């Protein structure tokens, strides 16, 4: 039997999703060939559609997260909507939802209810703080989770905290939901056992807080806010040069000795007691930074990069987003692909995981309700019934 080129060919995912976390998970399933039917509210759909209008009048968030999906507008609270949702779940392999606290249970699509009504279906729940426990009924948004996990207290300068510039809690939860669904599909395929998948934004980001959590629990206190410098490794951060800034990173003692000999021009510095270990270098970061700034200050970017490369020291430019868009790695590795959006086309990054012989699906971003009629016909509804449903504001 031939193996389909797309790993998730034949898998159907139904999602009641919004914002970032769940759409990120289902978009990655769509990238691998799953059919993703995205159910949206008739009165505006996924509210991420309205976050901004930067991409041909569409939200940059929505364009990023929703390519290759089918959009079905459906009032799932109505009786006809409930029937249609049930028929879709009859045909689905996976159901993903990140509805507000208690909403899935009220609709009868929480994991326990689905285990009874659709025992073959893999349910995936993305919540803010978990579906049980003391905060189960609280709303959660990305920045709130950054605050509660302590991430905000680690990010920024000594004087000012700063949020992470991307939706890191949402992205973390979306990644774990995605990997959880893949695990559950494998389990069902190999053993017949159906697993439920649950991830919360808080617990996803809590896992990513592992290093500072251990450092704080067993050390003298939490890592300091150090701006663009690494809080617990030195030297690791930005240094001014003649025409800008270079960031360099030393990860081990071999690199440290090479930096001393080649960049600082004095191999003996490596054995200075102030700098004899990473912990010592962190404790004496001010003196160490003074030596590095003196060595690099008169060099331009090309000369500084060449010197650091010769020493085997990892280094980088501090790019703006525009610089990243034109990055030679993305261009040289052919990472950009055209993706359609209503009214135009965008350049989208190919998924970062390359699977031999598999070209990911990078289909268009759907307009609100674009696939409603086709999906309802697939479920056996006549044109007359579809029109009637529309007049009833069900679809």
């Amino acid at each position: 039997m031939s193996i389909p080129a797309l790993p998730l060919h034949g898998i159907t995912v139904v999602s009641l999703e919004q914002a970032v976390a769940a759409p990120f998970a289902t978009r990655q399933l769509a990238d691998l060939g799953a059919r993703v039917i995205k159910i949206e509210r008739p009165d505006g759909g996924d509210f991420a559609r309205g976050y901004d209008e930067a991409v041909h009048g569409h939200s940059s968030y929505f364009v990023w997260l929703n390519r290759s999906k089918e959009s079905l507008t459906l009032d799932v609270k109505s009786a006809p909507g409930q029937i249609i949702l049930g028929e879709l779940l009859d045909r689905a392999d996976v159901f993903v939802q990140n509805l507000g606290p208690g909403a899935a249970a009220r609709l009868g699509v929480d994991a326990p209810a689905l285990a009874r009504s659709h025992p073959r279906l893999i349910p995936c729940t993305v919540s803010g703080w978990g579906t049980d426990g003391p905060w189960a009924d609280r709303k959660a948004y990305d920045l709130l989770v950054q605050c509660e996990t302590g991430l905000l207290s680690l990010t920024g300068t000594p004087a000012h905290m700063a949020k992470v510039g991307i939706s890191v809690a949402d992205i973390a939860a979306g990644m774990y939901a995605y990997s959880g669904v893949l695990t559950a599909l494998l389990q069902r395929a190999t053993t017949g056992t159906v697993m439920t998948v649950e991830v919360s934004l808080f617990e996803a980001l809590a896992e990513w807080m592992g290093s500072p959590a251990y450092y704080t629990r067993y050390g003298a206190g939490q890592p300091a806010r150090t701006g663009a410098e690494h809080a617990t490794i030195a030297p690791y951060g930005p240094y001014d040069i003649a025409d800008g800034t270079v960031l360099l990173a030393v990860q081990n003692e071999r690199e440290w000795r090479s930096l001393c000999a080649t960049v600082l021009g004095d191999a003996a510095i490596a054995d200075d007691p102030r700098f004899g270990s990473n912990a010592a270098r962190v404790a004496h970061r001010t003196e160490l930074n003074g030596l590095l700034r003196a060595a690099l200050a008169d060099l331009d970017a090309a000369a500084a990069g060449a010197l650091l490369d010769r020493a085997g020291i990892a280094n980088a430019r501090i790019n703006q987003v525009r610089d990243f868009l034109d990055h030679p790695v993305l261009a040289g590795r052919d990472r950009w692909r055209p993706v359609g959006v209503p009214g135009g086309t965008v350049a989208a990054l190919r998924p970062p995981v390359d699977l031999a012989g598999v070209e990911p699906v990078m289909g268009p971003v759907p307009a609100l309700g674009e696939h409603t009629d086709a999906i309802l016909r697939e479920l056996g509804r006549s044109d007359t019934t579809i029109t009637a449903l529309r007049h009833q504001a069900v679809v």
Side-chain angles (χ1 to χ4, degrees), residues 213-234:
Y214 286 123
Y215 188 97
T216 301
R217 183 180 291 274
Y218 300 106
Q222 75 174 48
R225 289 196 304 274
T226 53
E229 292 186 301
H230 197 292
T232 60
I233 302 175

Side-chain angles (χ1 to χ4, degrees), residues 21-353:
F24 188 42
T26 58
R27 195 220 74 194
Q28 294 178 92
L29 297 170
D31 287 340
L32 293 180
R35 181 188 185 188
V36 177
I37 299 174
K38 179 184 180 79
I39 299 175
E40 300 190 68
R41 298 186 308 275
D43 58 343
D46 182 343
F47 54 72
R49 286 183 179 273
Y51 280 172
D52 61 69
E53 298 178 351
V55 186
H56 302 307
H58 304 285
S59 161
S60 55
Y61 274 89
F62 192 86
V63 169
W64 166 46
L65 296 166
N66 290 285
R67 65 173 182 248
S68 305
K69 300 179 185 179
E70 300 173 37
S71 173
L72 165 67
T73 47
L74 187 67
D75 179 4
V76 295
K77 296 179 181 178
S78 70
Q82 286 271 294
I83 293 170
I84 292 167
L85 176 58
E87 292 178 17
L88 289 171
L89 296 179
D90 289 340
R91 302 174 176 215
D93 299 280
V94 179
F95 174 64
V96 178
Q97 61 88 9
N98 66 334
L99 300 172
R106 291 191 295 271
L107 292 172
V109 293
D110 57 323
L114 290 175
R116 295 187 296 270
S117 63
H118 295 80
R120 185 180 171 277
L121 184 69
I122 296 168
C124 174
T125 299
V126 181
S127 66
W129 313 100
T131 56
D132 57 15
W135 283 29
D137 294 332
R138 293 183 62 157
K139 288 185 177 181
Y141 298 115
D142 185 88
L143 182 53
L144 306 181
V145 177
Q146 289 190 39
C147 291
E148 291 289 347
T149 56
L151 177 59
L152 206 71
S153 74
L154 299 175
T155 308
T157 67
H160 300 286
M161 293 182 291
K163 69 180 288 294
V164 177
I166 58 175
S167 301
V168 64
D170 288 317
I171 293 168
M175 288 301 301
Y176 286 120
Y178 167 58
S179 63
V181 167
L182 293 180
T183 302
L185 285 169
L186 177 62
Q187 177 82 346
R188 192 185 70 174
T190 55
T191 70
T193 302
V194 174
M195 304 168 62
T196 61
V197 178
E198 180 180 344
V199 60
S200 73
L201 273 66
F202 179 79
E203 288 159 326
L205 195 55
E207 165 64 17
W208 287 16
M209 287 287 291
S211 173
Y214 286 123
Y215 188 97
T216 301
R217 183 180 291 274
Y218 300 106
Q222 75 174 48
R225 289 196 304 274
T226 53
E229 292 186 301
H230 197 292
T232 60
I233 302 175
Y236 194 145
Y239 296 89
D240 291 336
I241 55 177
D243 58 352
T245 305
V246 65
L247 191 144
L248 64 87
V250 168
Q251 287 278 306
N252 54 57
E253 295 308 303
R254 176 183 53 78
E255 291 178 354
W256 164 242
R257 289 186 173 278
S258 179
L259 181 137
C260 291
T262 304
V263 178
L264 298 181
D266 185 355
I269 293 174
D271 297 315
D272 185 316
R274 295 173 299 169
F275 312 131
S277 68
N278 178 67
R281 291 191 290 273
V282 170
H284 296 89
R285 190 193 302 268
T286 300
E287 301 100 300
L288 175 58
N289 284 347
L291 294 175
L292 277 163
R293 291 189 181 108
L296 297 169
D298 296 331
L299 303 178
D300 62 18
L307 179 63
L308 292 165
D309 287 345
R310 188 164 68 251
I313 304 301
N315 60 92
R317 302 169 297 172
I318 300 179
N319 284 337
Q320 301 296 306
V321 177
R322 173 59 60 185
D323 303 316
F324 150 71
L325 296 179
D326 299 324
H327 201 284
V329 171
L330 298 179
R333 287 175 50 77
D334 188 27
R335 304 309 294 184
W336 295 103
R337 298 288 186 276
V339 168
V341 300
T345 303
V346 300
L349 278 173
R350 192 181 190 278
V353 176

